[in-house]
Structures are given as structure tokens and as C-alpha cells.
Amino acid sequence: MKNKYVKILIIIAAFLVLSLVTSASYAYFVANVQGNENSNNTVITTGDVSLYVADDGVVRLSNAYPTQYVEKVFGITNIGSATTTYNVYLSNIINTFADKNDLVYTIRSIRAPGMYQGLTQVDGCANSNERVVPSIVGEESNIISSCQINPGELQLYVLTITFKDDGTNQDDNKGKKFAALVSVNDYYDNLEQTATIETGLDLNRDLRMLAGDPITNIEEYDENIQRIEFSSTAPTEEDKFIYVEGGDTTTDIKAWFKNGTIYIYSSEDTIYLPSDSSHMFAGMKNLTYVDLSHFDTSNVTKMVGMFKNDKSITSIDLTNFDTSNVTDMEGIFAGCGNVEHIYFGENFNTSNVENMRSVFQNTYALREVDLSHFDTSKVTSMAWMFCASGIVSLDLSSFDTSNVTSMRLMIANMDRVSSINLGENFDTSKVTDMFHMFRNIRYVTTLDLGNKFSVEKADDVSGMFMQEANQTALVTIKSNKDLVFKNDALNDKVFYKTTVIVGGKGTVYKTNNESTNGYKYAVIDCGTKRPGYLTYSGTAEEYEQFCSQFD
């Protein structure tokens, strides 16, 4: 594969120099095998393969005669997570020998027990007979072909270069020279070709810089980006493309900017997103469209802020996204102020997600979203999840919130919502933070807390039902029990300015000491016997039975 990737993979492992000097009867030579002079071992990585020079310094054989030799030990390790295949080459060859047959080499596999902790030593692929040293000047010559190696394995080799005695006068090689580099590369011709793009933050930076003058402030670059599209045609040199592939790729990925559009090209139709795809397309103020149809997200674990603050985009199509391995979706759509539609496919799986903090925060134009397929059984944070969203009808009846610990501002400042369905099993038994949880749910008239709503673990319930004065419609809050706060919980302004609220037995909002004592009304209203702002959620008969304990 003669492309940029291969050029990166041609790695110097050892430097061999053989030169002839004058002698009375033999052609003598000096042979150097050189590693890294500054360390005991040299390790150079290329994709999934690491070439390990097991010895260091210079091995020198001076004023030698035919039959003498020099040798060098080197190793190959697989530092990746999948089985791969490699080649070893002699490259950058210089061979001025008059008789090429005078210089020969052997390469054989060896083991050195106990020397390489953490690696499994296995036999390599070379145990060759004697061969003439390659003489393709300036090119490369393969000395180990298509050798398979598994993750964590080490294969050691000894390369021996010998000045061979052919039984004749060899003075025709006086003053001649041989030099070569020992190189390794991953060999993908027999393996599946994959294109993996760079990490989210790196791609975000590179795409934004493509769209502006690097001398100016990077915050201004994104204003030029209006679209991100997949290109089926490779760029030309005039397109001034850059490479945006990640470390696990076997195929080049190129990106360039033209007339407001970022184009992304790969010879593979599918581009894999990396494990950390956080902030990949975030902060592009004038972005209106992203073509996501060619991306495979099956390896992604983090989608934090993936589209955050893309203020101009109106639709996000995730129908081909496989999110089965994603654990963190914090703020994935946060700040997409003009997004009206978010489309989820059947593979949008949230069963492993632990963090849904701010997922839909500040999505002002979003009126509806289907959450029925969201699996929230592992989620621990829903803080700010729907804060300042434009959703008009919020149905969370399918949510499993049994492991959630933070619901801070979760359903706050929703200026459009008129209906909230928590369902009967909205479980808050582990929640420790309910600060301003239902603040400013402007058009909701009735809020049913269900059967598993509890504040017993909450350290902060401040402003939990707080509303803006003269802008609240919240009349009824239903519960099947009193809300019993912790003795040391922060509980100021729990019902602050819920001016139209009425308890189930007629208790109306009280302005006296509402900031400090309002929490005392977080009980089932039993009228003058025991006033409160909550309405019992059971039947009328059950309500009477509940209040009878206060007779």
C-alpha cells in the first residue's frame, strides 16, 4: 500500500554499514550494526506493530576477512488488540559490490526466556537458508513476509551478515560499499481494511482550522463551516486536504474545506468513529447539516458534547448510530438552540449509559422527542437533562431511575412544557441532589410524582418546585405520601412563588415565611387538621382514610 500510512510505517530498526579496505591478499571489510546510542533498547511503534531493537550501541567487526560476520538481534511485538501481520525489509539499500554473491545473510527466529516481562514469546516466521544480500539500490527488499502475530506476543530474530569466502581472489570488491536499513511495517493486504477517524477533540480542532486562517482566533473559524459531507471522490492537491485518520486506521482519511463545506473522504465507504468521540462536531455556530450516514459508532464509548452548541442545525439524523457501548452522553445535544428534530434508529441503545447530564439542555426549538426506547437503568446523573428544552409534552414513564443520584435542575426552565408524565415508578430513592428540579415548568397544571418519589436521601431540595411570580400554572402536585426531608437538608424556597397551588383539601399558597418555612407544606393536605400543598394520589376513600389519622 504505497501511501502516507506506509511511509509512516517504514521504521529504522538497525543500521548496517559494510565497507571494504585494501589488503595484500584479501578484501577485508568493516561492518557496523547500529541501534540507538542513547538507550539500552529502542522501541518504535507503527500501528499495531512495535519493532524492538533488543541490543544497543555499535557492533563492530574491523579488518575482517571472508567468513567473518556481524549480527544484530531485533524483535517484533503486537501492541494492538487484534491479530495482525507484518513484513520486515532491508530498505534504503546501497550495494556497490562488484560481485553481489560475496555478501550473504541469514535471519532466524530465537527465544530469550525471562528477558521480556509481560510479553509472550513465540516463534517467528524466519529460519532461512543463506541468501545473497539484496542489491536493489535505493529501494526495499523483503526479508520476512506476511508473518502473523497476536496481541501481546513477542517474536525475536537474529540477522547475520557474512562476507563469504568463495575460494577465489575477491579484490574486485575493494573499496565497495553496502548499507541498508532494517524496517518493519504492518501488512494489511490480507486483512480487512478499516478507516478510523481521529478522536473527537482532535477532529473538531482540525476541521475548524481548515475553515480559517490559522493566524486568527480559532473561535472564529467555525463561523465559516455550514455543512459537513462525505465525499466519494478523493481530493486533489489543489484542495489543500489534511489527514484526519486515527491510530487504529489502515486507510487514509482526508478532509478539506471548500465554499462553506467540510468534505471528508476515505476509500472505504464506512468510517469508524473512535472510542472517544466527545465534542466531535461541537461549537460550529453556523453548521446546518452533518452527513452521519457513513459513520460506524459501534466502538464509541464517549459522546460527550458531540453536537454541543451547534446553534444553526435544525435536524440531527442518528438512525444509523449504534450506541450499545456508549457510557457517557453528557451534553450530546446541549445548546443546539434551533434543532427541531432528532431522529433515533433501532440501534440507538442507551443500556450502558451512566451519564445523561444536560443531554437536551437549551434545545429551545425542540418540541417533541420519543424517549420510549431510552434504557436508563445504569444512569446515575440526569442533572440539567431537559433544562430549558422546548419540549411541550415530556413522557418519562419508561425511565428506570433507580440508580440516579443527581436530578439537579433536571426538568427546570421548560417554558413550553404543558404536560409531564413521570409514571408511577419514577424512583428517586438514591437521589441526593434535587436542587430546583421542577423550577419554572411554566404551563404544567398538574404534576403527579408517582409511587416511588422520595426525598429521604436528598441533601439539597432548595427551590424544588420554585416558580416565577405570575408565570406559574402549577395548581396540583399529587403524591401517595408526605415528602420527608433529611434534618440537615438544604430546603429553602421549596415552593417559592407557586402562587396558584392548592392542596387536595383546599389549602392555598401562603406568602408568610415562604422562603424559609415553605418546605413544611410538602405534605398531603388534610385541610385545617394538617395543611399542606400536596394532593393524595389515591382514591377519595383512601384520601379520607389517610387524613383520619390527624383527627
Side-chain angles (χ1 to χ4, degrees):
M1 187 171 59
K2 299 294 183 182
N3 55 24
K4 185 201 74 158
Y5 190 60
V6 166
K7 291 176 184 176
I8 291 174
L9 294 180
I10 299 303
I11 301 299
I12 299 172
F15 182 45
L16 298 99
V17 177
L18 291 84
S19 60
L20 298 179
V21 297
T22 302
S23 172
S25 58
Y26 290 99
Y28 293 95
F29 70 96
V30 176
N32 292 342
V33 183
Q34 187 171 342
N36 185 329
E37 297 179 358
N38 298 318
S39 63
N40 291 328
N41 300 304
T42 301
V43 179
I44 307 173
T45 60
T46 67
D48 284 335
V49 169
S50 171
L51 186 146
Y52 180 92
V53 181
D55 195 5
D56 188 46
V58 177
V59 179
R60 181 179 297 275
L61 186 62
S62 301
N63 292 326
Y65 50 83
T67 72
Q68 289 196 314
Y69 61 89
V70 288
E71 62 183 21
K72 188 67 177 180
V73 175
F74 66 92
I76 306 293
T77 63
N78 184 344
I79 61 171
S81 59
T83 298
T84 190
T85 308
Y86 64 86
N87 292 338
V88 176
Y89 297 91
L90 290 179
S91 61
N92 289 15
I93 295 169
I94 300 172
N95 191 345
T96 63
F97 271 48
D99 187 345
K100 309 301 185 192
N101 293 322
D102 283 353
L103 203 60
V104 296
Y105 78 94
T106 61
I107 184 167
R108 57 189 174 88
S109 178
I110 63 170
R111 294 201 190 189
M115 292 179 62
Y116 306 96
Q117 296 181 357
L119 295 171
T120 302
Q121 290 195 55
V122 297
D123 291 335
C125 299
N127 192 11
S128 69
N129 297 323
E130 183 178 278
R131 301 176 187 173
V132 174
V133 168
S135 58
I136 311 172
V137 177
E139 291 294 331
E140 61 188 22
S141 182
N142 188 290
I143 59 175
I144 298 177
S145 298
S146 305
C147 189
Q148 182 172 296
I149 188 168
N150 298 314
E153 289 184 348
L154 167 67
Q155 296 172 354
L156 287 175
Y157 297 98
V158 174
L159 174 65
T160 305
I161 304 285
T162 303
F163 184 34
K164 187 176 182 179
D165 186 351
D166 65 3
T168 67
N169 188 307
Q170 295 169 276
D171 284 351
D172 58 345
N173 282 324
K174 290 180 181 178
K176 305 301 182 184
K177 184 179 181 181
F178 172 84
L181 304 178
V182 177
S183 309
V184 64
N185 72 339
D186 296 7
Y187 181 73
Y188 293 105
D189 289 354
N190 295 322
L191 301 177
E192 180 183 359
Q193 300 288 305
T194 58
T196 303
I197 210 161
E198 60 189 348
T199 62
L201 279 172
D202 287 342
L203 182 66
N204 184 280
R205 176 202 62 215
D206 289 345
L207 296 188
R208 293 168 72 181
M209 290 185 70
L210 269 176
D213 182 350
I215 298 176
T216 63
N217 190 330
I218 191 170
E219 296 299 326
E220 299 176 1
Y221 299 175
D222 54 27
E223 295 182 359
N224 297 324
I225 302 174
Q226 299 173 23
R227 298 173 65 88
I228 298 175
E229 298 184 5
F230 182 87
S231 174
S232 58
T233 304
T236 66
E237 292 296 331
E238 293 180 354
D239 290 321
K240 297 181 181 179
F241 64 85
I242 61 171
Y243 293 96
V244 292
E245 65 266 19
D248 296 331
T249 196
T250 64
T251 304
D252 291 337
I253 306 175
K254 301 173 182 179
W256 66 100
F257 177 75
K258 190 174 184 178
N259 297 329
T261 299
I262 292 284
Y263 294 96
I264 297 175
Y265 167 80
S266 171
S267 59
E268 298 297 308
D269 190 59
T270 297
I271 296 177
Y272 287 85
L273 297 193
S275 175
D276 190 351
S277 292
S278 300
H279 305 285
M280 183 165 278
F281 307 109
M284 299 180 183
K285 302 173 185 176
N286 292 325
L287 184 68
T288 60
Y289 173 76
V290 183
D291 179 5
L292 303 171
S293 61
H294 293 268
F295 291 130
D296 186 308
T297 60
S298 58
N299 296 323
V300 179
T301 60
K302 295 183 69 175
M303 289 184 171
V304 176
M306 195 173 191
F307 303 95
K308 187 175 182 179
N309 293 333
D310 289 339
K311 299 182 182 301
S312 299
I313 198 165
T314 59
S315 178
I316 301 176
D317 187 351
L318 307 179
T319 52
N320 71 315
F321 268 33
D322 177 354
T323 58
S324 56
N325 287 311
V326 177
T327 61
D328 195 343
M329 284 187 176
E330 178 174 340
I332 183 173
F333 308 116
C336 294
N338 285 303
V339 71
E340 298 176 359
H341 304 287
I342 301 173
Y343 300 101
F344 304 109
E346 59 182 16
N347 291 321
F348 194 86
N349 181 343
T350 62
S351 60
N352 284 308
V353 177
E354 299 174 4
N355 186 4
M356 287 190 175
R357 180 185 176 107
S358 302
V359 168
F360 299 102
Q361 184 180 5
N362 295 337
T363 52
Y364 309 114
L366 186 65
R367 296 292 179 261
E368 58 183 38
V369 61
D370 182 6
L371 303 170
S372 61
H373 61 292
F374 272 47
D375 183 338
T376 60
S377 57
K378 292 185 179 180
V379 177
T380 59
S381 179
M382 291 184 176
W384 285 281
M385 187 172 180
F386 301 99
C387 184
S389 168
I391 296 173
V392 296
S393 180
L394 186 62
D395 186 354
L396 306 182
S397 59
S398 62
F399 273 28
D400 179 348
T401 57
S402 58
N403 285 307
V404 178
T405 59
S406 179
M407 291 185 174
R408 187 180 186 89
L409 286 153
M410 177 183 173
I411 309 175
N413 300 327
M414 296 184 67
D415 289 342
R416 300 277 182 175
V417 69
S418 60
S419 172
I420 297 175
N421 180 13
L422 300 179
E424 295 183 357
N425 298 309
F426 193 82
D427 188 346
T428 61
S429 59
K430 293 183 180 179
V431 178
T432 60
D433 190 351
M434 291 181 170
F435 176 84
H436 288 212
M437 183 176 174
F438 297 104
R439 174 177 175 169
N440 296 341
I441 46 175
R442 184 171 178 182
Y443 296 109
V444 175
T445 58
T446 299
L447 179 64
D448 191 336
L449 301 179
N451 297 324
K452 294 186 177 181
F453 194 92
S454 168
V455 296
E456 294 179 4
K457 295 286 182 67
D459 297 314
D460 191 349
V461 293
S462 301
M464 186 164 66
F465 301 106
M466 175 180 177
Q467 306 296 310
E468 294 291 343
N470 302 318
Q471 294 184 8
T472 178
L474 186 60
V475 175
T476 304
I477 300 176
K478 292 184 177 182
S479 177
N480 67 343
K481 58 182 177 295
D482 296 338
L483 299 184
V484 181
F485 302 122
K486 291 174 63 176
N487 290 333
D488 59 349
L490 297 174
N491 55 27
D492 61 307
K493 298 185 179 181
V494 172
F495 294 97
Y496 190 67
K497 295 185 178 179
T498 55
T499 54
V500 297
I501 198 168
V502 179
K505 294 296 184 180
T507 298
V508 297
Y509 181 73
K510 312 234 185 262
T511 57
N512 293 337
N513 301 318
E514 62 179 356
S515 295
T516 56
N517 295 322
Y519 72 94
K520 294 181 178 181
Y521 288 86
V523 296
I524 304 296
D525 182 29
C526 290
T528 56
K529 294 185 294 184
R530 206 264 310 250
Y533 293 154
L534 307 184
T535 298
Y536 192 76
S537 58
T539 64
E541 182 179 351
E542 291 170 335
Y543 199 166
E544 294 302 323
Q545 184 177 356
F546 177 88
C547 287
S548 65
Q549 63 185 299
F550 304 107
D551 290 342

